[in-house]
Amino acid sequence: MPTPAASANPSVPPWRLWLIWGVGVAAYVLSITNRTSLSAVGVDAAVRFDADASTLSMFAVIQLAVYGGMQIPVGVLLDRFGARPVITAGMALMAIGQAVLAFAPDVGWAIVARMLLGAGDAAVFPSVLRVVAVWFPARQAPFLVQMTGILGQVGQLAAIFPLAALLHATSWTIAFGSLAGLGVLFTILTFAVIRNRPPDRAEDVSVDTETGAIQVVRSSIDFREGFRQSWAHPATRLAFWSHFTTPFSGTAFMLLWGFPFLTVGEGLTPPVASLVFSVYVVFGILSGPVIGALSSRHPQRRSRMLVLPIIGLQALVWLIVIAWPGPAPLWLLFVLVFAMSTGGPASMIGFDHARTFNPAHRLSTATGIVNVGGFLAALLAILFIGLAMDAQGAGTPDTYTLEAFRIAFLTQVPLWVLGATFIVVERRRTRVHIGLEEPRARRRRRGIAAAGDSPGDELPLD
């Protein structure tokens, strides 16, 4: 395999390509750490801000809502200004957000901090993808995108172990102030290292090294028209509901409710709960390539062979944990996090649907629609769990109980049912749309014609 430098950018030494990508990936790791920074310290946050379960949910809900709402604006900014200023601004916003959270005196300021985090986080991953598209050969891009996503999950481990240990060894202000300091460092580092394009190019372009084709990299088009056309395609809706349904349980668990459930509800010690969180991340890293390989080998059976079974697995294991008499054994909790960890890789199938069936000029709009699906479901799950805890009178850490958590986690079931139903419906519509299946009315008419007693029984095929 030729080196990236030799095949894509002869004037750029290989070490510079990998340095730029490496800094971008490191920035993404930090953004994941920032995103999940409340996962292992949710109980501490509830105590610090005297927040009930619904208010604690709002921290994550608002953060995810801002993240989702910024997807299209980030694409527009990337088109106009390139990756360097956008990722730098994203890191700066997250640094400010963590600094505000470090000194926040009340819930209002804490919510402002999480909004800043959501806005900054939204800028990082698309910027790294743009760096990959502009600096590396087109044939290497899929692998590097996959590696970016896998390596980024290391940020969850940083939020589980070092951050929680630092907070409990020092104070809230020092722990989150340290994250703010890292954000400042990476604001400077991304601005110093990352460039919009190689020095020999006047535009952000990607090069197909097999054909020699050069294509200008675009992240968005006219939003209203692009949204209408993208949503009109059943494959985009199939992708939306696939991404809506598969990852939300794991996101809600890792982002906010998992640690309180494991420690206060299931009675695990914080170190053991951290181990369960770590196993979730490791399982996700290991299952990603397997699910990706199966998806690429069976592109016409991805929903039936992967997406729907993974949804069913998550729901089944959750129901077993909820119905278990008393605290669940540790092995069952490992099975639970394994089931949830498959949701992230399975959700990437939604992006495969969008990429396969949408033309290049509206691919980013379709991708944005798909991405919103997963975060919409996650914020609904987080909110519903918090509301269910409050409704049972278990809104604060002192009143959390295993029974309350069990009932609260049942609120995930309607989201699974809703998503799975639409996956089945839109899968069929997609297959009809691309000619793999005939509409039911046409098949029914053919069946009537075949079973008819006379030619007069045959119905016309319109």
Side-chain angles (χ1 to χ4, degrees):
M1 180 182 293
T3 65
S7 59
N9 304 301
S11 63
V12 181
W15 65 265
R16 188 181 181 191
L17 290 174
W18 296 113
L19 176 63
I20 291 173
W21 179 71
V23 169
V25 170
Y28 180 52
V29 170
L30 181 57
S31 76
I32 294 291
T33 302
N34 286 324
R35 182 191 303 173
T36 57
S37 55
L38 288 183
S39 60
V41 296
V43 175
D44 301 84
V47 172
R48 177 178 177 83
F49 298 110
D50 192 24
D52 59 20
S54 297
T55 303
L56 196 60
S57 294
M58 290 305 297
F59 290 167
V61 167
I62 292 176
Q63 177 185 340
L64 292 176
V66 172
Y67 181 99
M70 287 295 294
Q71 291 301 302
I72 299 300
V74 163
V76 173
L77 292 173
L78 280 170
D79 258 353
R80 183 166 184 179
F81 299 109
R84 183 194 189 193
V86 173
I87 194 172
T88 300
M91 300 309 299
L93 281 173
M94 284 191 287
I96 295 170
Q98 294 291 32
V100 171
L101 188 63
F103 296 97
D106 53 39
V107 169
W109 280 105
I111 288 177
V112 170
R114 302 308 287 186
M115 292 175 67
L116 291 170
L117 283 173
D121 185 17
V124 177
F125 189 59
S127 296
V128 180
L129 295 189
R130 191 179 186 92
V131 166
V132 170
V134 171
W135 285 84
F136 287 86
R139 61 187 174 83
Q140 287 187 324
F143 171 76
L144 289 174
V145 169
Q146 184 184 52
M147 288 303 301
T148 299
I150 291 174
L151 293 174
Q153 301 314 306
V154 175
Q156 295 188 67
L157 294 178
I160 295 167
F161 287 113
L163 179 63
L166 180 61
L167 186 149
H168 296 142
T170 56
S171 68
W172 179 277
T173 299
I174 291 176
F176 284 90
S178 298
L179 283 178
L182 283 174
V184 172
L185 172 63
F186 271 87
T187 300
I188 298 170
L189 193 60
T190 52
F191 185 80
V193 174
I194 292 179
R195 293 293 183 270
N196 286 350
R197 64 187 71 89
D200 59 339
R201 296 181 187 165
E203 291 183 288
D204 287 8
V205 299
S206 62
V207 179
D208 188 326
T209 51
E210 294 181 356
T211 65
I214 298 177
Q215 182 177 3
V216 176
V217 176
R218 293 291 182 222
S219 297
S220 63
I221 58 173
D222 176 72
F223 173 66
R224 183 169 56 184
E225 182 64 17
F227 182 91
R228 186 188 66 79
Q229 293 179 355
S230 295
W231 186 253
H233 199 298
T236 303
R237 301 194 298 271
L238 172 62
F240 174 90
W241 289 109
S242 297
H243 198 261
F244 178 98
T245 318
T246 47
F248 75 80
S249 184
T251 302
F253 192 88
M254 293 296 291
L255 204 59
L256 187 62
W257 287 116
F259 211 82
F261 168 69
L262 293 175
T263 53
V264 183
E266 293 288 346
L268 301 184
T269 63
V272 176
S274 297
L275 174 63
V276 174
F277 268 41
S278 302
V279 169
Y280 172 95
V281 177
V282 172
F283 279 153
I285 292 173
L286 295 177
S287 64
V290 176
I291 292 175
L294 290 173
S295 175
S296 62
R297 289 181 182 180
H298 305 280
Q300 295 183 9
R301 293 187 288 174
R302 290 176 290 197
S303 296
R304 283 189 175 180
M305 190 175 73
L306 293 171
V307 174
L308 291 172
I310 284 172
I311 294 168
L313 175 65
Q314 291 182 27
L316 174 63
V317 178
W318 258 118
L319 291 175
I320 292 173
V321 170
I322 290 170
W324 195 271
L330 188 59
W331 66 264
L332 181 56
L333 295 176
F334 285 146
V335 174
L336 174 65
V337 294
F338 167 74
M340 289 190 295
S341 73
T342 60
S347 72
M348 301 305 291
I349 294 174
F351 295 111
D352 289 338
H353 290 317
R355 183 172 61 251
T356 301
F357 297 111
N358 279 276
H361 68 271
R362 67 168 187 254
L363 177 58
S364 292
T365 301
T367 300
I369 293 172
V370 174
N371 207 21
V372 168
F375 287 96
L376 173 62
L379 70 86
L380 288 175
I382 291 169
L383 179 60
F384 290 165
I385 292 169
L387 291 174
M389 293 292 287
D390 279 347
Q392 300 173 82
T396 60
D398 292 337
T399 58
Y400 290 166
T401 65
L402 179 57
E403 189 62 30
F405 274 118
R406 286 172 167 171
I407 294 174
F409 281 118
L410 282 174
T411 60
Q412 298 175 108
V413 174
L415 295 175
W416 282 316
V417 172
L418 176 69
T421 300
F422 275 103
I423 288 170
V424 172
V425 171
E426 298 299 345
R427 177 184 184 273
R428 168 158 181 78
R429 289 175 176 171
T430 300
R431 291 177 65 83
V432 170
H433 185 85
I434 63 178
L436 293 177
E437 291 185 15
E438 291 184 348
R440 282 195 175 92
R442 182 172 296 179
R443 289 198 304 177
R444 180 174 57 82
R445 289 171 180 172
R446 286 187 175 179
I448 293 173
D453 294 329
S454 67
D457 293 326
E458 184 174 353
L459 297 176
L461 298 179
D462 297 327

